[in-house]
Amino acid sequence: MTGSPRHWRIVHSESSLGWGGQEHRVMAELVGFQKRGCAVWLIAPRESVIFQRAEKLGIPTVTVEFKKFSFLPNILRLARWLRRERIEVLNPHSSRDGWVLGFAGRLARVPFIVRTRHIDVDYPNAFTSRIVFTKLADHVLTTSDKITRHFQKIFQLPDSRITTQPTGIDLELFSSEGSRAEIPGKISGTPLVGMVSVLRSWKGHATFLEAAAHLKAAGFNARFVIVGEGPSGERIREKCASLQLGDTVTFAGHREDVPAVLRALDVLCIPSTKHEGVPQIGLQALACKTAVVGSDVGGIPEIIRPSETGKIFPANDANALANAIRTTLAETESTHTLKENGRAFVEKNSGIERMLDNLDALYARHISA
């Protein structure tokens, strides 16, 4: 660990109530910089999952309800708090907290306001959105080069105002060494193919299930597992039932033992249809030496590189996904090489300490200036 040359006073905010890759990233930065001796805080709704997890981990918290009617009172209250605590780095992550903390940070004259963007979306009202990303922030962080390029095109951001920084991975926690999770429905000697993500429409579960149906119809012997919970859970289960995959697909629900789950999989699929930055689960799987098949969406090809670290297929193409799964399992020698390359890629580029070092250097450069 390099460690910070200065013990920054850092605040992250998150208005989302759920738990997914974005919230994982926020916690990774909070915990990482706290371990380096920095003072850190989380501003979030009390009922949010991230607020509750932060409290359990000993992260200082400030509760805020990001309601429209409390917009101005929250700005004034948080501005006073930011000024009193002499906050140096302020990093909002979602829409509502981006506006509230952006205005509060400007009123409090916080030296460096960073706005992190985790997914790739369109901005129908670019003029209004430009305010929060340029006037209410000094710098934009993204999780993939594709999001960075998109932002620069929409908001005319120069290179000096935006940085790509995928989420760093704990290379000791995510490794091929360690226990393998017990997955309901797993049969010894039968390949296990899975997805690990929040159950959202754009994560591509429908494509995954259709690929499983193609392979089942072709007599291909494999089991499939969907790990996670989320707002589209009922619809995805209905899709599974309509394809008559009850004897082939297992829904494992939310799991905290993600490294062990990844080690239990023979292939991880990331069939996202839109929005995706650099998915953390992809980096985690590469670190565990789990074979990965991903769609050609967002930042996925930035880490799942064809013929180097994994296989890429056209988004929404279930036949192509089925073929990629089949060849990954059949071509054992080339798949072994992909897995070794994947671990080496993550060790070189995506460790948690490397991410913290890069952020530390960003803070020092801008705050010193």
Side-chain angles (χ1 to χ4, degrees), residues 176-367:
S176 59
E177 303 298 323
S179 62
R180 296 171 180 259
E182 292 294 328
I183 304 294
K186 178 175 172 57
I187 300 172
S188 179
T190 300
L192 184 63
V193 181
M195 281 186 67
V196 183
S197 77
V198 177
L199 306 190
R200 292 194 179 104
S201 59
W202 52 269
K203 286 293 187 178
H205 291 87
T207 305
F208 178 75
L209 291 171
E210 290 165 7
H214 288 315
L215 290 169
K216 179 182 178 182
F220 191 79
N221 185 31
R223 294 285 303 180
F224 298 84
V225 61
I226 292 176
V227 178
E229 294 290 353
S232 298
E234 183 177 353
R235 188 177 306 159
I236 293 167
R237 288 178 171 85
E238 289 174 353
K239 175 76 171 180
C240 182
S242 71
L243 292 171
Q244 299 182 334
L245 292 171
D247 60 341
T248 305
V249 177
T250 298
F251 287 83
H254 176 76
R255 300 284 294 246
E256 291 290 331
D257 57 338
V258 174
V261 168
L262 290 172
R263 287 190 287 265
L265 297 179
D266 294 285
V267 181
L268 174 78
C269 296
I270 311 176
S272 303
T273 59
K274 57 183 179 179
H275 297 328
E276 199 70 75
V278 169
Q280 294 174 48
I281 195 64
L283 292 170
Q284 291 166 354
L286 294 180
C288 289
K289 296 185 181 181
T290 300
V292 185
V293 174
S295 65
D296 58 353
V297 163
I300 297 173
E302 294 173 27
I303 60 169
I304 310 304
R305 301 178 175 183
S307 302
E308 182 182 344
T309 63
K311 293 185 183 298
I312 290 291
F313 72 98
N316 295 299
D317 190 334
N319 274 320
L321 174 55
N323 288 334
I325 292 169
R326 190 200 309 268
T327 56
T328 298
L329 292 170
E331 299 171 356
T332 56
E333 187 173 336
S334 60
T335 297
H336 174 77
T337 300
L338 295 177
K339 293 191 291 187
E340 293 295 325
N341 290 346
R343 174 67 190 190
F345 173 84
V346 175
E347 287 181 350
K348 180 180 178 181
N349 300 291
S350 303
I352 183 70
E353 297 303 329
R354 182 184 179 90
M355 179 189 78
L356 296 173
D357 285 344
N358 291 343
L359 293 174
D360 182 74
L362 178 71
Y363 301 162
R365 185 165 63 250
H366 284 269
I367 293 174

